[in-house]
């Protein structure tokens, strides 16, 4: 099993550009989440999903969109990138049957200039 | 508001010394708490959870509801324990609140 995979690993955007961060998991987990990691701020929940077709906002959803059309995939979209979105982004998946243990991807380092 | 506080950003201890990483939380319901660890060049991974009441890699953590704390402890630190540690609270479903993290350095 590959677990949770994220692409790309690194990305540089200019202000106003759009992009999609990809996340996929092969563990058949019902739950998936997106976090951003910033120095001194820890991990903050952006959006999460409890199943295909169901998404909800976390702590810091502004500027981001998500969708969950399949159990495996949970892409994060930045519609108009801003320098404040410079961060490391982590995707995670979990299942209630495994005690909600979060399985994290390797992260995407995004820089917005 | 549900929050997790880790007061120490950096913590250095000598090899063989005891280590304690502090975590305090505020939550109106029944808390479910976790410790996650990120070793250099590795993914963030679960270290332990309070429900399991287990010891992982010599680490233990006890939930103290009176003090609203979930401190992580190890009696004898090892060099391989150097890592970033995050305390996390599961609010409901898949909603997790993470602390700001503590970077532990074990000095040889």
């Amino acid at each position: 099993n590959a677990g949770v995979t994220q692409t790309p690993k690194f990305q540089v955007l200019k202000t106003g550009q759009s992009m999609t961060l990809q996340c996929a998991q092969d563990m058949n987990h019902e739950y998936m989440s997106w976090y951003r990691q910033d120095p001194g701020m820890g991990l903050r929940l952006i959006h999460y999903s409890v199943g295909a077709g169901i998404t909800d906002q976390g702590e810091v959803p502004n500027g981001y969109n998500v969708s969950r059309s399949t159990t495996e995939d949970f892409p994060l979209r930045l519609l108009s990138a801003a320098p404040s979105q410079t961060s490391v982004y982590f995707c995670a998946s979990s299942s209630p049957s495994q005690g909600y243990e979060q399985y994290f991807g390797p992260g995407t380092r995004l820089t917005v200039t | 508001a549900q929050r997790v506080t880790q007061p120490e950003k950096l913590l250095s201890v000598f090899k063989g010394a005891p280590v304690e990483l502090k975590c305090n939380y505020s939550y109106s319901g029944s808390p479910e708490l976790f410790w996650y660890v990120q070793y250099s060049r590795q993914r963030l991974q679960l270290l332990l959870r309070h429900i399991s009441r287990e010891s992982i890699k010599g680490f233990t953590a006890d939930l103290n509801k009176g003090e609203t704390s979930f401190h992580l402890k190890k009696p004898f630190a090892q060099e391989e324990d150097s890592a970033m540690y995050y305390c996390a609270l599961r609010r409901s479903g898949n909603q997790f609140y993470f602390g700001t993290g503590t970077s532990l350095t074990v000095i040889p």
Side-chain angles (χ1 to χ4, degrees):
Chain A
N1 286 352
V4 180
T5 57
Q6 291 183 237
T7 56
K9 290 187 177 180
F10 302 95
Q11 183 71 49
V12 179
L13 290 178
K14 293 185 177 180
T15 299
Q17 287 184 317
S18 63
M19 80 160 296
T20 299
L21 306 184
Q22 300 292 344
C23 175
Q25 54 98 2
D26 62 0
M27 296 174 283
N28 203 32
H29 284 169
E30 300 93 321
Y31 293 177
M32 296 186 75
S33 304
W34 275 103
Y35 296 89
R36 58 177 291 173
Q37 183 186 46
D38 301 291
M41 303 291 288
L43 277 80
R44 291 181 292 170
L45 182 64
I46 304 172
H47 284 285
Y48 64 98
S49 169
V50 298
I54 306 170
T55 64
D56 207 344
Q57 297 180 350
E59 288 180 89
V60 288
N62 292 341
Y64 308 95
N65 280 349
V66 293
S67 60
R68 183 102 179 267
S69 56
T70 66
T71 299
E72 294 78 20
D73 300 298
F74 191 44
L76 178 72
R77 297 184 187 85
L78 285 71
L79 297 179
S80 179
S84 60
Q85 294 178 304
T86 293
S87 186
V88 180
Y89 291 84
F90 289 99
C91 179
S93 72
S94 64
S95 173
S97 64
Q98 295 177 16
Y100 300 97
E101 174 181 349
Q102 302 270 294
Y103 289 81
F104 284 87
T108 294
R109 186 174 294 274
L110 175 67
T111 302
V112 183
T113 61
Chain B
Q2 295 85 358
R3 286 295 179 264
V4 176
T5 303
Q6 292 179 252
E8 305 133 333
K9 288 187 178 180
L10 303 171
L11 184 63
S12 295
V13 300
F14 285 100
K15 177 182 176 181
V19 60
E20 181 181 52
L21 290 84
K22 291 184 168 55
C23 172
N24 289 90
Y25 67 90
S26 62
Y27 185 60
S28 55
S30 183
E32 190 173 338
L33 287 146
F34 301 74
W35 276 100
Y36 281 83
V37 60
Q38 189 172 28
Y39 301 104
S40 179
R41 298 189 188 87
Q42 293 188 26
R43 301 185 185 199
L44 199 63
Q45 59 188 283
L46 177 67
L47 180 62
L48 54 79
R49 68 187 93 193
H50 91 269
I51 285 179
S52 302
R53 301 183 66 81
E54 57 194 345
S55 173
I56 303 294
K57 298 184 179 182
F59 283 99
T60 59
D62 291 320
L63 179 62
N64 186 322
K65 291 185 179 181
E67 296 183 358
T68 60
S69 68
F70 188 56
H71 303 327
L72 184 67
K73 301 177 184 179
K74 185 170 183 176
F76 308 104
Q78 303 299 314
E79 290 179 64
E80 56 265 30
D81 296 329
S82 295
M84 191 74 173
Y85 292 80
Y86 290 97
C87 183
L89 179 150
R90 188 176 77 86
R91 175 187 170 187
S92 64
N94 203 31
Q95 294 186 64
F96 277 77
Y97 289 94
F98 282 79
T100 51
T102 297
S103 178
L104 174 66
T105 300
V106 180
I107 304 165

